Amino acid sequence: MKNNPIGIFDSGVGGLSVFSELVKLLPNEHYIYYGDTANLPYGDKTQARLVEITGNIFDFFKQKNVKAVVMACNTTSAMTYDTLKDNYNFKIYPIVQIVSKQIALKNYKTAGVFATKATIGSHAYKKEIQKYNDNCTVFEQACPDWVNIVENNLQEDERSIKQVKSDLDIMLTNNPEKIILGCTHYPYLMSVLTKYAPKDMFINPAEYFAKYIAEDLKNNDLLSNKPHKEPEFFVSANPKQFINASKLFYTIRNVCEIATGAAV
Ligand code: DGL
Protein backbone atom coordinates (compact mmCIF):
# COMPACT_ATOMS: atom_id res chain seq x y z
CA MET A 1 0.00 0.00 0.00
CA LYS A 2 2.73 2.50 0.96
CA ASN A 3 4.09 2.57 -2.59
CA ASN A 4 0.72 3.22 -4.19
CA PRO A 5 0.14 6.67 -5.71
CA ILE A 6 -1.31 9.77 -4.06
CA GLY A 7 -4.28 11.27 -5.93
CA ILE A 8 -4.69 15.03 -5.87
CA PHE A 9 -7.40 17.06 -7.55
CA ASP A 10 -8.96 20.44 -8.16
CA SER A 11 -11.21 22.02 -10.79
CA GLY A 12 -8.10 23.20 -12.63
CA VAL A 13 -4.61 24.52 -11.94
CA GLY A 14 -5.40 25.75 -8.40
CA GLY A 15 -4.45 22.45 -6.76
CA LEU A 16 -0.94 22.78 -8.15
CA SER A 17 -0.30 25.37 -5.42
CA VAL A 18 -0.74 22.46 -3.00
CA PHE A 19 1.00 19.91 -5.21
CA SER A 20 4.14 22.08 -5.45
CA GLU A 21 4.38 22.18 -1.62
CA LEU A 22 3.81 18.42 -1.33
CA VAL A 23 6.53 17.63 -3.86
CA LYS A 24 8.99 19.70 -1.83
CA LEU A 25 8.21 17.76 1.35
CA LEU A 26 7.64 14.31 -0.17
CA PRO A 27 9.71 14.05 -3.35
CA ASN A 28 9.62 10.24 -3.45
CA GLU A 29 5.90 9.88 -3.86
CA HIS A 30 4.10 8.97 -7.07
CA TYR A 31 1.46 11.66 -7.68
CA ILE A 32 -1.58 11.53 -9.95
CA TYR A 33 -3.08 15.00 -10.46
CA TYR A 34 -6.58 15.46 -11.84
CA GLY A 35 -7.71 18.90 -13.06
CA ASP A 36 -11.42 18.81 -13.78
CA THR A 37 -11.29 21.63 -16.29
CA ALA A 38 -14.49 20.53 -18.07
CA ASN A 39 -16.46 21.37 -14.93
CA LEU A 40 -14.66 24.58 -14.00
CA PRO A 41 -15.54 26.68 -12.03
CA TYR A 42 -16.77 24.64 -9.07
CA GLY A 43 -17.59 27.74 -7.02
CA ASP A 44 -20.96 28.40 -8.63
CA LYS A 45 -22.23 24.78 -8.53
CA THR A 46 -24.83 23.25 -6.22
CA GLN A 47 -23.90 20.84 -3.48
CA ALA A 48 -25.66 17.95 -5.26
CA ARG A 49 -23.65 18.55 -8.44
CA LEU A 50 -20.39 18.89 -6.50
CA VAL A 51 -21.05 15.60 -4.67
CA GLU A 52 -21.59 13.90 -8.05
CA ILE A 53 -18.43 15.45 -9.52
CA THR A 54 -16.26 14.61 -6.50
CA GLY A 55 -17.63 11.06 -6.31
CA ASN A 56 -16.64 10.52 -9.94
CA ILE A 57 -13.12 11.79 -9.26
CA PHE A 58 -12.80 9.54 -6.19
CA ASP A 59 -13.92 6.59 -8.39
CA PHE A 60 -11.23 7.51 -10.92
CA PHE A 61 -8.61 7.48 -8.14
CA LYS A 62 -9.96 4.17 -6.82
CA GLN A 63 -9.26 2.62 -10.22
CA LYS A 64 -5.73 3.99 -9.93
CA ASN A 65 -5.26 2.21 -6.57
CA VAL A 66 -4.28 5.33 -4.68
CA LYS A 67 -3.34 5.16 -1.01
CA ALA A 68 -4.67 8.67 -0.35
CA VAL A 69 -6.57 11.51 -2.02
CA VAL A 70 -5.65 15.13 -1.40
CA MET A 71 -8.65 17.43 -1.85
CA ALA A 72 -6.60 20.40 -3.09
CA CYS A 73 -9.88 22.22 -3.57
CA ASN A 74 -11.60 24.21 -0.83
CA THR A 75 -14.99 24.16 -2.54
CA THR A 76 -15.31 20.36 -2.65
CA SER A 77 -13.79 20.01 0.84
CA ALA A 78 -16.45 22.37 2.19
CA MET A 79 -19.35 20.99 0.18
CA THR A 80 -18.73 17.24 -0.29
CA TYR A 81 -16.25 15.82 2.22
CA ASP A 82 -18.82 15.08 4.95
CA THR A 83 -21.07 13.26 2.47
CA LEU A 84 -18.36 11.16 0.81
CA LYS A 85 -15.68 10.60 3.44
CA ASP A 86 -16.82 7.14 4.56
CA ASN A 87 -17.38 5.64 1.10
CA TYR A 88 -13.75 4.89 0.20
CA ASN A 89 -10.96 2.83 1.70
CA PHE A 90 -8.16 5.32 0.98
CA LYS A 91 -7.25 8.27 3.19
CA ILE A 92 -8.91 11.54 2.25
CA TYR A 93 -7.38 14.91 3.16
CA PRO A 94 -9.82 17.89 2.96
CA ILE A 95 -8.01 21.24 2.84
CA VAL A 96 -10.55 23.46 4.67
CA GLN A 97 -11.00 21.23 7.72
CA ILE A 98 -7.28 20.50 8.15
CA VAL A 99 -6.04 24.03 7.63
CA SER A 100 -8.74 25.77 9.71
CA LYS A 101 -7.71 23.87 12.80
CA GLN A 102 -4.09 24.90 12.40
CA ILE A 103 -5.00 28.53 11.75
CA ALA A 104 -7.33 28.55 14.77
CA LEU A 105 -4.47 27.42 16.99
CA LYS A 106 -2.52 30.58 16.05
CA ASN A 107 -5.02 32.54 18.16
CA TYR A 108 -5.59 35.40 15.75
CA LYS A 109 -8.26 37.82 16.95
CA THR A 110 -9.52 38.47 13.42
CA ALA A 111 -9.11 36.70 10.08
CA GLY A 112 -10.48 37.37 6.62
CA VAL A 113 -11.28 34.57 4.17
CA PHE A 114 -11.33 34.97 0.42
CA ALA A 115 -12.97 31.96 -1.27
CA THR A 116 -15.45 30.88 -3.92
CA LYS A 117 -19.17 31.60 -3.67
CA ALA A 118 -19.90 28.01 -2.63
CA THR A 119 -17.20 27.89 0.07
CA ILE A 120 -18.31 31.23 1.52
CA GLY A 121 -21.98 30.17 1.36
CA SER A 122 -21.13 27.04 3.41
CA HIS A 123 -19.38 29.16 6.10
CA ALA A 124 -16.99 26.20 6.41
CA TYR A 125 -13.93 28.29 7.31
CA LYS A 126 -15.81 30.33 9.90
CA LYS A 127 -17.36 27.22 11.50
CA GLU A 128 -14.14 25.21 11.49
CA ILE A 129 -11.96 28.04 12.85
CA GLN A 130 -14.45 28.96 15.57
CA LYS A 131 -14.73 25.27 16.58
CA TYR A 132 -11.17 25.59 17.93
CA ASN A 133 -11.01 29.32 18.68
CA ASP A 134 -14.28 31.07 19.33
CA ASN A 135 -12.47 34.35 20.05
CA CYS A 136 -11.55 34.75 16.39
CA THR A 137 -13.81 36.99 14.33
CA VAL A 138 -13.92 35.70 10.75
CA PHE A 139 -14.78 37.96 7.81
CA GLU A 140 -15.91 35.96 4.78
CA GLN A 141 -15.83 37.29 1.23
CA ALA A 142 -16.47 35.59 -2.11
CA CYS A 143 -14.29 36.53 -5.07
CA PRO A 144 -16.18 34.96 -7.98
CA ASP A 145 -13.97 36.40 -10.75
CA TRP A 146 -10.59 35.24 -9.53
CA VAL A 147 -10.63 31.60 -10.71
CA ASN A 148 -11.25 32.62 -14.31
CA ILE A 149 -8.48 35.23 -14.14
CA VAL A 150 -6.02 32.51 -13.06
CA GLU A 151 -7.21 29.80 -15.47
CA ASN A 152 -6.91 32.25 -18.36
CA ASN A 153 -3.53 33.49 -17.20
CA LEU A 154 -4.78 37.07 -16.99
CA GLN A 155 -3.08 38.12 -13.73
CA GLU A 156 -1.28 41.03 -15.40
CA ASP A 157 -4.34 42.26 -17.28
CA GLU A 158 -5.44 45.74 -16.22
CA ARG A 159 -9.05 44.69 -15.63
CA SER A 160 -7.97 41.75 -13.47
CA ILE A 161 -5.78 43.98 -11.32
CA LYS A 162 -8.67 46.43 -10.86
CA GLN A 163 -11.03 43.61 -9.88
CA VAL A 164 -8.61 42.06 -7.38
CA LYS A 165 -7.84 45.47 -5.87
CA SER A 166 -11.50 46.35 -5.49
CA ASP A 167 -12.24 42.98 -3.75
CA LEU A 168 -9.21 43.44 -1.51
CA ASP A 169 -10.27 47.01 -0.62
CA ILE A 170 -13.61 45.69 0.67
CA MET A 171 -11.88 43.12 2.88
CA LEU A 172 -9.36 45.69 4.19
CA THR A 173 -12.18 47.84 5.60
CA ASN A 174 -12.55 45.05 8.24
CA ASN A 175 -8.92 45.54 9.21
CA PRO A 176 -8.19 41.77 9.48
CA GLU A 177 -5.01 40.53 11.13
CA LYS A 178 -4.59 37.89 8.40
CA ILE A 179 -6.35 37.03 5.15
CA ILE A 180 -6.70 33.33 4.27
CA LEU A 181 -6.54 32.55 0.56
CA GLY A 182 -9.36 30.00 0.83
CA CYS A 183 -9.31 28.87 -2.78
CA THR A 184 -6.27 27.07 -4.17
CA HIS A 185 -6.31 29.29 -7.26
CA TYR A 186 -5.78 32.48 -5.26
CA PRO A 187 -2.05 32.10 -4.47
CA TYR A 188 -1.55 32.64 -8.24
CA LEU A 189 -2.68 36.24 -7.54
CA MET A 190 -0.12 36.90 -4.82
CA SER A 191 1.88 39.28 -7.03
CA VAL A 192 -1.22 41.47 -7.47
CA LEU A 193 -2.39 41.25 -3.85
CA THR A 194 1.01 42.21 -2.47
CA LYS A 195 0.99 45.42 -4.51
CA TYR A 196 -1.71 46.67 -2.13
CA ALA A 197 -1.18 44.85 1.19
CA PRO A 198 1.86 43.35 2.96
CA LYS A 199 2.82 39.81 1.99
CA ASP A 200 2.71 38.52 5.55
CA MET A 201 -0.95 39.48 5.84
CA PHE A 202 -1.86 36.60 3.52
CA ILE A 203 -2.03 32.94 4.50
CA ASN A 204 -1.52 30.43 1.70
CA PRO A 205 -3.09 27.32 3.26
CA ALA A 206 -1.08 25.04 0.94
CA GLU A 207 1.94 25.23 3.24
CA TYR A 208 0.05 24.15 6.37
CA PHE A 209 -1.85 21.52 4.41
CA ALA A 210 1.21 19.87 2.85
CA LYS A 211 2.99 19.74 6.22
CA TYR A 212 0.01 18.05 7.84
CA ILE A 213 -0.28 15.46 5.05
CA ALA A 214 3.45 14.64 5.19
CA GLU A 215 3.27 14.12 8.99
CA ASP A 216 0.11 12.06 8.79
CA LEU A 217 1.38 9.73 6.06
CA LYS A 218 4.55 9.24 8.08
CA ASN A 219 2.64 8.51 11.29
CA ASN A 220 0.55 5.93 9.43
CA ASP A 221 3.60 4.28 7.88
CA LEU A 222 2.34 5.23 4.43
CA LEU A 223 5.39 6.97 3.00
CA SER A 224 6.81 5.45 -0.18
CA ASN A 225 10.13 3.64 0.18
CA LYS A 226 10.73 3.26 -3.57
CA PRO A 227 12.45 5.75 -5.89
CA HIS A 228 10.29 8.57 -7.12
CA LYS A 229 8.13 8.14 -10.23
CA GLU A 230 7.23 11.00 -12.59
CA PRO A 231 3.93 12.66 -11.62
CA GLU A 232 1.02 12.02 -13.98
CA PHE A 233 -1.37 14.80 -14.98
CA PHE A 234 -4.93 14.35 -16.23
CA VAL A 235 -7.50 16.96 -17.22
CA SER A 236 -11.08 16.64 -18.41
CA ALA A 237 -10.69 19.43 -21.05
CA ASN A 238 -8.30 22.02 -22.54
CA PRO A 239 -4.90 20.45 -21.81
CA LYS A 240 -2.97 23.28 -23.54
CA GLN A 241 -4.65 25.97 -21.48
CA PHE A 242 -3.92 23.93 -18.35
CA ILE A 243 -0.22 23.71 -19.17
CA ASN A 244 -0.11 27.44 -19.86
CA ALA A 245 -1.88 28.49 -16.68
CA SER A 246 0.08 26.11 -14.45
CA LYS A 247 3.51 27.65 -15.06
CA LEU A 248 3.69 29.74 -11.91
CA PHE A 249 3.68 26.64 -9.70
CA TYR A 250 4.92 23.71 -11.80
CA THR A 251 6.32 23.02 -15.23
CA ILE A 252 4.17 20.33 -16.82
CA ARG A 253 5.20 18.64 -20.03
CA ASN A 254 2.54 16.03 -20.65
CA VAL A 255 -1.12 16.10 -19.82
CA CYS A 256 -3.57 13.35 -20.66
CA GLU A 257 -7.12 14.42 -21.49
CA ILE A 258 -9.48 11.90 -20.00
CA ALA A 259 -13.26 11.91 -19.96
CA THR A 260 -14.11 10.39 -16.62
CA GLY A 261 -17.66 10.47 -15.33
CA ALA A 262 -16.53 13.75 -13.82
CA ALA A 263 -17.01 15.69 -17.03
CA VAL A 264 -20.47 16.76 -18.18
N1 DGL B 1 -9.63 25.90 -6.53
C1 DGL B 1 -10.88 25.48 -6.00
C2 DGL B 1 -11.05 25.87 -4.56
O1 DGL B 1 -10.07 25.81 -3.82
C3 DGL B 1 -12.08 25.58 -6.90
C4 DGL B 1 -12.30 26.87 -7.63
C5 DGL B 1 -13.45 26.83 -8.62
O2 DGL B 1 -13.39 26.02 -9.56
O3 DGL B 1 -14.41 27.60 -8.45
O4 DGL B 1 -12.13 26.15 -4.10
Side-chain angles (χ1 to χ4, degrees), residues 191-203:
S191 62
V192 185
L193 291 164
T194 52
K195 279 192 203 196
Y196 308 108
K199 188 166 187 269
D200 67 1
M201 181 180 255
F202 298 99
I203 297 179

Side-chain angles (χ1 to χ4, degrees), residues 164-179:
V164 172
K165 181 176 184 313
S166 110
D167 290 329
L168 177 62
D169 283 345
I170 296 171
M171 176 58 84
L172 291 177
T173 60
N174 300 310
N175 205 13
E177 217 174 317
K178 296 282 171 186
I179 300 175

Side-chain angles (χ1 to χ4, degrees), residues 233-247:
F233 295 94
F234 295 89
V235 291
S236 46
N238 305 323
K240 278 199 187 126
Q241 189 178 332
F242 179 82
I243 289 177
N244 231 352
S246 68
K247 283 185 186 130

